[in-house]
Amino acid sequence: MRLRFALAALLPALLSLAVMALVADRLARRALDDELSARLVVAARAAAAALPADRVARLEAGQESTRTYGHIRARLLPVARATGTRLFVVRPDRTALVDSEGRIPIGEPVPALERDRFEIAEAAAGRAMASQILFEGSDGRLYKTGYAPLADEAGNVLAVVGADGNAASFVTLRRFRRLLGTVAIAGAVLGALVAALASLSVTRPLTRLTEAARRIARGDLETPLWRRERHDEIGTLRDTLEEMRRALRARDEERETLLAGIAHEVRNPLGALDLFAGLLAEELQGGPQAPHVSRIQSELAALSKVVEEFLDYARTRPPLREPVDLRLLVAEVADLAAPLAAQRQVSVSFDGEGEAKADREQLRRAAVNLVRNAVEAAPAASEVELVARAADGEATIEIRDRGPGLAPDARASLFRPFFTTKEKGTGLGLALAKKVADAHGGTLALEEREGGGTVARLAIPAEPTATRTLTGRAHRGAGAAHG
Ligand code: ADP
Ligand code: MG
């Protein structure tokens, strides 16, 4: 689109520039040519007027040293000098009579005049005119010739006078052309620059809008759009998109508040149910109904896991910013995941260094969920690696496993609450981790690991960034959850 835009702006400009240069060149050339032609014809006419036609026409071969010849040349010379031309007289059949420089023998045909056959014939018919074609003289310069009839007193044309003139003005034309070329190229470069800038000024905000729309599509409703800086269509588009983002977020918030309220109401009776199921299990111990009760107990456990995890998810508030020792954090996380790892015969190695300004509790919950996923995906006897680092203003926590990797069609939905591919999954682990990453102005990505498996990478700015405005979104949800 950028290219199309630039071309649309540039092509007409270039085209008109080229046409203009061409027309200017033509006009200048024509003007110079006409001017030169007129000058040469005038010179030829002046010479014709100065010459005694009868005596010139009577010149014969071999008379080059006669007085008559000298006399005639003497008449030609001042005209030649005055007009800056070389003058010659030929018969209508283009054989030489006399010339101002006295070089061509009388009666000799002049082959060089072949090209001006038409003009000489016209002059012989009484119509003075200049040659159409420029020719290169022995000095390498361009010449043109004007022809005029040489007539006796009765008006009979006896010979034709030619005036060769140097087309010096064509040097100027060449210079003019070079100038035109330079101007055209400079114009094209300038045009290209302006077109590129203009196209950038349109496509850049469009790219930004596209990015923002993509972000929203990915479910990031927290990051506000850039502040409005233009009052044109693009500004309006930005406003509309921002409005849409706010509306979506408000809807999300409402739904979450509602769910958190329900989860909270469910949690209390769940506790009681679990207590009584425990009592019942003791009473029925060894009896035929014992398996039913233990089934009730395991379903209750699953249910309270969903409720707890959801409340955890909904409770995520704007993060505190406390110094978090990453080494201690990973040790703690590995510890929390140890029971699950032992049960699945997976070992968890951990390594951490550096510090981040973040919400320790939220970071830990996010990391625990990621490690749990890794342990659940990892084959028995394999190792899950947990590494946290702070570098280049960014703190990253990486969790690597040797599991089967992500299902291709799961990729798009990973961070959606309640998306799970596991029979007993809640689908809230990644949603929570993502929420924590977003709240910290960071990112969460799950990637294929080299050699098989998955790498989950949670990255947050090591220092909070001032530009992010965190809204009270989670406050309301948390209010209900704590309520
Ligand atoms: P749950 O663990 O309850 O299924 P999560 O939100 O934690 O919910 O994960 C969502 C889904 O993402 C999982 O069901 C699984 O399909 C996929 N997933 C997450 N982590 C991994 C991993 N390390 N390897 C493979 N798949 C994973
Ligand atoms: Mg999980």
Side-chain angles (χ1 to χ4, degrees):
M1 173 148 160
R2 194 168 295 169
L3 187 71
R4 238 182 297 153
F5 211 109
L7 279 183
L10 197 57
L11 271 187
L14 276 184
L15 216 68
S16 58
L17 205 67
V19 169
M20 240 161 61
L22 227 67
V23 169
D25 181 71
R26 275 285 152 76
L27 284 179
R29 197 195 153 92
R30 172 100 44 88
L32 286 173
D33 206 41
D34 287 353
E35 209 262 340
L36 179 65
S37 299
R39 188 164 64 82
L40 293 175
V41 168
V42 166
R45 274 188 200 279
L51 289 178
D54 299 328
R55 278 157 66 193
V56 174
R58 276 201 300 274
L59 283 172
E60 297 279 349
Q63 292 185 341
E64 284 85 358
S65 42
T66 61
R67 271 181 58 200
T68 318
Y69 185 83
H71 182 73
I72 293 171
R73 263 200 68 205
R75 294 241 174 146
L76 270 184
L77 278 172
V79 181
R81 234 175 269 136
T83 56
T85 55
R86 192 179 71 84
L87 294 167
F88 58 88
V89 184
V90 291
R91 295 201 183 93
D93 65 359
R94 298 185 300 281
T95 51
L97 283 170
V98 61
D99 67 297
S100 57
E101 279 155 28
R103 278 202 307 231
I104 317 167
I106 302 168
E108 291 266 308
V110 187
L113 293 183
E114 272 296 302
R115 60 169 182 264
D116 291 343
R117 218 164 28 201
F118 168 75
E119 289 84 353
I120 291 171
E122 283 290 297
R127 289 183 288 273
M129 70 185 303
S131 63
Q132 300 303 306
I133 309 162
L134 288 172
F135 65 95
E136 202 177 307
S138 49
D139 54 2
R141 296 199 290 182
L142 289 175
Y143 284 87
K144 201 174 167 82
T145 316
Y147 294 100
L150 178 60
D152 62 11
E153 267 138 44
N156 303 315
V157 179
L158 304 178
V160 171
V161 182
D164 285 343
N166 177 6
S169 41
F170 283 84
V171 176
T172 318
L173 182 67
R174 225 173 276 157
R175 238 181 262 146
F176 177 63
R177 263 184 205 161
R178 212 171 302 142
L179 184 72
L180 267 184
T182 315
V183 168
I185 289 172
V189 169
L190 199 73
L193 224 70
V194 170
L197 281 181
S199 109
L200 265 185
S201 81
V202 170
T203 53
R204 197 173 319 134
L206 280 184
T207 314
R208 247 165 130 192
L209 277 172
T210 312
E211 270 164 19
R214 277 215 191 102
R215 220 170 37 224
I216 291 173
R218 275 199 310 264
D220 173 6
L221 300 175
E222 289 304 314
T223 316
L225 266 69
W226 67 97
R227 201 170 302 130
R228 179 171 183 173
E229 22 190 72
R230 346 183 5 144
H231 291 277
D232 54 7
E233 290 81 354
I234 286 174
T236 314
L237 206 55
R238 175 247 165 239
D239 285 359
T240 315
L241 200 62
E242 173 68 1
E243 232 170 76
M244 186 182 93
R245 180 190 72 83
R246 290 216 183 110
L248 281 175
R249 207 191 56 186
R251 215 187 54 189
D252 251 24
E253 228 172 79
E254 210 173 294
R255 210 178 43 197
E256 234 165 62
T257 312
L258 194 73
L259 279 171
I262 296 173
H264 193 64
E265 292 307 315
V266 167
R267 187 163 62 168
N268 294 337
L270 267 184
L273 283 173
D274 194 43
L275 181 72
F276 289 114
L279 293 176
L280 203 56
E282 264 172 39
E283 273 173 37
L284 297 177
Q285 211 164 23
Q289 286 97 342
H292 300 326
V293 179
S294 83
R295 178 72 198 278
I296 290 173
Q297 278 181 310
S298 84
E299 292 297 330
L300 280 174
L303 195 53
S304 69
K305 183 175 142 202
V306 176
V307 168
E308 288 307 325
E309 279 185 25
F310 182 74
L311 285 176
D312 250 5
Y313 169 74
R315 207 182 283 143
T316 306
R317 316 161 241 109
L320 299 174
R321 295 296 189 169
E322 51 198 340
V324 177
D325 185 322
L326 294 175
R327 203 168 50 84
L328 291 180
L329 181 81
V330 289
E332 213 178 337
V333 169
D335 207 36
L336 285 168
L340 182 68
Q343 184 192 328
R344 302 204 144 234
Q345 296 162 12
V346 172
S347 63
V348 177
S349 74
F350 59 91
D351 184 18
E353 65 178 42
E355 196 184 87
K357 280 241 163 43
D359 191 308
R360 187 182 302 126
E361 165 65 20
Q362 286 187 17
L363 222 47
R364 191 178 56 212
R365 276 195 279 143
V368 165
N369 274 296
L370 296 177
V371 173
R372 274 203 202 125
N373 281 348
V375 168
E376 279 164 358
S382 71
E383 186 185 70
V384 166
E385 295 168 27
L386 167 60
V387 179
R389 292 261 179 281
D392 301 328
E394 198 179 58
T396 53
I397 304 177
E398 266 191 22
I399 294 99
R400 313 180 191 124
D401 67 57
R402 285 286 176 212
L406 299 165
D409 47 340
R411 262 177 194 287
S413 329
L414 284 181
F415 302 139
R416 231 176 46 209
F418 302 112
F419 171 81
T420 180
T421 58
K422 297 168 195 167
E423 208 178 321
K424 287 254 158 104
T426 61
L428 286 166
L430 290 182
L432 171 94
K434 174 77 168 113
K435 205 170 169 184
V436 168
D438 284 347
H440 282 80
T443 56
L444 173 65
L446 268 75
E447 286 156 18
E448 230 164 90
R449 184 182 180 187
E450 234 179 58
T454 307
V455 181
R457 183 179 300 108
L458 194 159
I460 60 168
E463 291 282 336
T465 44
T467 50
R468 276 184 60 90
T469 43
L470 279 166
T471 55
R473 170 192 187 182
H475 279 305
R476 274 195 266 156
H482 288 311

